[in-house]
Amino acid sequence: EVMALFLPAFAGDDHASKAVGGCVEIMTKLGYGSEMGPFIAAGAGVNTGIAYVGVVGDQGNYKDFTALGEEINLASRLAQAAGPGEILVAETTAVAAHVESEEKRSIEAKGFSETIPVIVLRH
C-alpha cells in the first residue's frame, strides 16, 4: 500500500481534486485504460479530512513522516476494498473534489460503525 498526502498548506484549496487526480494518474501509469491493460492488479482509496501529521521518532533520530487518525484509516480501508482498476472515493471527498460517477456503493469498513458511502471511478 502507498499513501500520498495532499496537505492543503502545500497542495492548495483544491487538495481533494489533486488527490483524486493523483490516483487517476497512478492507475494510468500502471496500464489501466491502455490497449495492453494493466501490468499489476491495483485499486485505490481516497478520503480527506483532519489528520495528525508529523515526524515519528526520537529527538534527532526521525524515522518517518506520516499521518494518523480516523480519516487516514478510512482511506486505507477504501484502498483495501477497491477492486483492480477501481478508485473508491469517499462521498464527502467526491463532493469537495467535484467528482461524479454513476456508480455508487456503501462500504463496511473495519473500525467504523456505519457504512461508508463512496463513488466508484473505473479506469
Side-chain angles (χ1 to χ4, degrees):
E1 186 172 302
V2 175
M3 176 174 63
L5 302 174
F6 292 82
L7 305 173
F10 300 105
D13 290 338
D14 60 342
H15 57 91
S17 61
K18 288 181 179 176
V20 173
C23 281
V24 170
E25 186 174 341
I26 287 170
M27 299 304 268
T28 300
K29 299 279 186 196
L30 292 176
Y32 286 93
S34 72
E35 278 186 26
M36 294 178 60
F39 60 87
I40 188 171
V46 185
N47 186 45
T48 56
I50 304 296
Y52 300 96
V53 180
V55 179
V56 177
D58 296 333
Q59 184 176 0
N61 186 21
Y62 301 117
K63 301 198 183 296
D64 197 7
F65 179 81
T66 193
L68 304 169
E70 183 176 81
E71 305 299 346
I72 303 301
N73 291 342
L74 180 55
S76 178
R77 300 290 187 251
L78 295 179
Q80 292 168 7
E86 291 183 337
I87 301 171
L88 300 184
V89 183
E91 191 174 71
T92 54
T93 300
V95 169
H98 308 290
V99 176
E100 295 181 12
S101 174
E102 294 292 320
E103 190 174 353
K104 297 179 183 192
R105 195 182 296 166
S106 289
I107 302 295
E108 289 188 22
K110 180 182 172 185
F112 294 84
S113 59
E114 296 183 20
T115 58
I116 310 300
V118 299
I119 67 159
V120 181
L121 303 178
R122 295 189 182 273
H123 207 67

